[in-house]
Amino acid sequence: MSTEADTDLNYFLLNRTFESCALKYEDYVMPLTASYCNWTWDSVLCWPPTPAGAIIRQRCPFRHGLDPTRYAERRCSTKGEWIGRNGTSDAQSQTGWTNYTPCYTPEMRHIMNLLYLNGDTAKEKFDIAERTRILEIVGFSISLTALILSLIIFWRFRSLRNIRTRIHKNLFVAMVIQVLIRLILYIDQALMRANYGDGGIGRQGIDNTPFLCEACYIFLEYARTAMFMWMFIEGLYLHNMVTVTVFQVQFPFMSYVALGWGGPIFLTAIWATITATYQSHQHCWWGYNLTYSYWILEGPRLTVILLNFIFLLNIIRVLVVKLRQSHTSDIEQVRKAVRAAVVLLPLLGITNIISMMANPLKDSVLEFALWSYITHFLTSFQGFFIALLYCFLNGEVRCAIVKSFRVYVDFHGDWATQPPPRRQSFYSVAYTPAAAATTPTIPMNLQRFT
């Protein structure tokens, strides 16, 4: 680390708490020949004694949403009193007001303008954001547990080893990586926030560790992009199996691997290079998701959702045609079509479209709360719902587990019964090569609705 960087670090360590600020100026003697504003700590920075009528500036602190290359300022009145927010002397509190407005990045200023556009509701919205962070931690923890259990089940039983479950496993791995990184970042931020509240000095966390913080966000965005790519592969494979009119040949699985894991490397590398160039001054690339360069990643993800939505509509169309051919009643047709669509929504990632919508920061507190809770619930519990529908409630999985359990019991001579008849699941696409190459066939998961 350079000498200048060491100086900046020591400077901000000395300005972090009231106690350190008081210790810094405990031996300072005010000049008697002129009026001075006394030293003060504004809960962020320590300000030295300042001559009356002067303006003093300091480097902005290293915090999210602030540009440390800019300067905050305070004003000392001609009477030797710090000037408050309204431009008058703050004789009562003697603390005055620090103008941090020049410190805000353009993205942060935009957010603040939206927050205060509909009256002074920023505090309520910040409280909602804090509560939704707790919801996220709970949801991601449950999703992580469910996804890991699902992967163990898929790798444990040989009867489940087919191309469909191989696609499932890769999707689950991408989701596990994303969820794990998110939990690590959230827990680290919570611990660091608690340390700041205790007045801790010099505590190291991910957010204030150069390169480690940026690396975590790079891996997070890579895993998230890979998750969307594997959702697209899920939609492509299912659509191909249902219609057999788009692609007449089966793709080699390695082509799926190249698209699912290789494509995100290319996109993430471009995004990281551009972000590192234009966000180098920003602490841990804060607010990178608000910049235009983020669309390098968000654009392909949105495209995946739109393509999967088209796949879903065509799948439902084929399902409705088959339902009509079976002379099912209109109400039953609608019920089964809606049920099939709901089952496929989380797997194809279509529920993520809500999180890509613009935050309703300028709207009322109620509207912001509804958006925040719904969005973060669907995002954090997505892994749990996918594991529940396509592993724990899957007929093949349950049959394999029951069969394994009965084999274990039979081996120990406790009891023996015939295994139950095989029951198809929501997403059991079982085909013979001949059938897949001849006529369009509805997968077993959709045949349940016919």
Side-chain angles (χ1 to χ4, degrees), residues 391-407:
C391 181
F392 303 134
L393 297 181
N394 185 289
E396 292 180 77
V397 172
R398 289 188 296 172
C399 183
I401 294 175
V402 171
K403 182 177 180 180
S404 177
F405 176 73
R406 290 183 173 177
V407 168

Side-chain angles (χ1 to χ4, degrees), residues 43-183:
S43 77
V44 178
L45 292 177
C46 179
W47 296 86
T50 303
I55 299 175
I56 185 172
R57 293 179 175 86
Q58 289 195 70
R59 288 272 295 275
C60 300
F62 290 100
R63 292 197 173 187
H64 291 317
L66 303 182
D67 186 350
T69 63
R70 300 179 182 178
Y71 292 86
E73 64 179 33
R74 290 177 69 92
R75 295 175 180 267
C76 182
S77 70
T78 55
K79 298 179 180 180
E81 298 171 348
W82 291 112
I83 293 179
R85 187 184 184 95
N86 57 2
T88 60
S89 299
D90 193 359
Q92 183 176 2
S93 66
Q94 293 293 320
T95 57
W97 174 68
T98 304
N99 184 12
Y100 284 104
T101 304
C103 296
Y104 293 143
T105 61
E107 295 81 14
M108 187 64 179
R109 278 198 291 270
H110 177 67
I111 291 176
M112 297 300 290
N113 290 336
L114 292 177
L115 280 172
Y116 289 99
L117 187 64
N118 193 21
D120 191 11
T121 59
K123 186 179 184 304
E124 291 91 338
K125 293 175 181 177
F126 281 129
D127 293 338
I128 293 171
E130 288 293 331
R131 290 193 289 270
T132 53
R133 176 54 56 88
I134 298 174
L135 173 65
E136 281 187 288
I137 293 176
V138 173
F140 282 130
S141 300
I142 295 175
S143 293
L144 180 63
T145 303
L147 290 169
I148 291 177
L149 289 176
S150 298
L151 287 171
I152 293 174
I153 292 173
F154 283 143
W155 269 308
R156 169 65 178 82
F157 299 102
R158 288 188 175 182
S159 61
L160 301 177
R161 296 176 184 176
N162 51 57
I163 189 170
R164 174 173 49 83
T165 54
R166 290 174 72 184
I167 294 175
H168 283 349
K169 286 189 289 186
N170 281 273
L171 172 61
F172 287 12
V173 168
M175 298 186 74
V176 165
I177 297 173
Q178 182 215 181
V179 169
L180 191 59
I181 296 176
R182 282 188 184 275
L183 285 175

Side-chain angles (χ1 to χ4, degrees), residues 33-54:
T33 57
S35 297
Y36 269 72
C37 288
N38 198 5
W39 66 267
T40 186
W41 185 69
D42 64 0
S43 77
V44 178
L45 292 177
C46 179
W47 296 86
T50 303

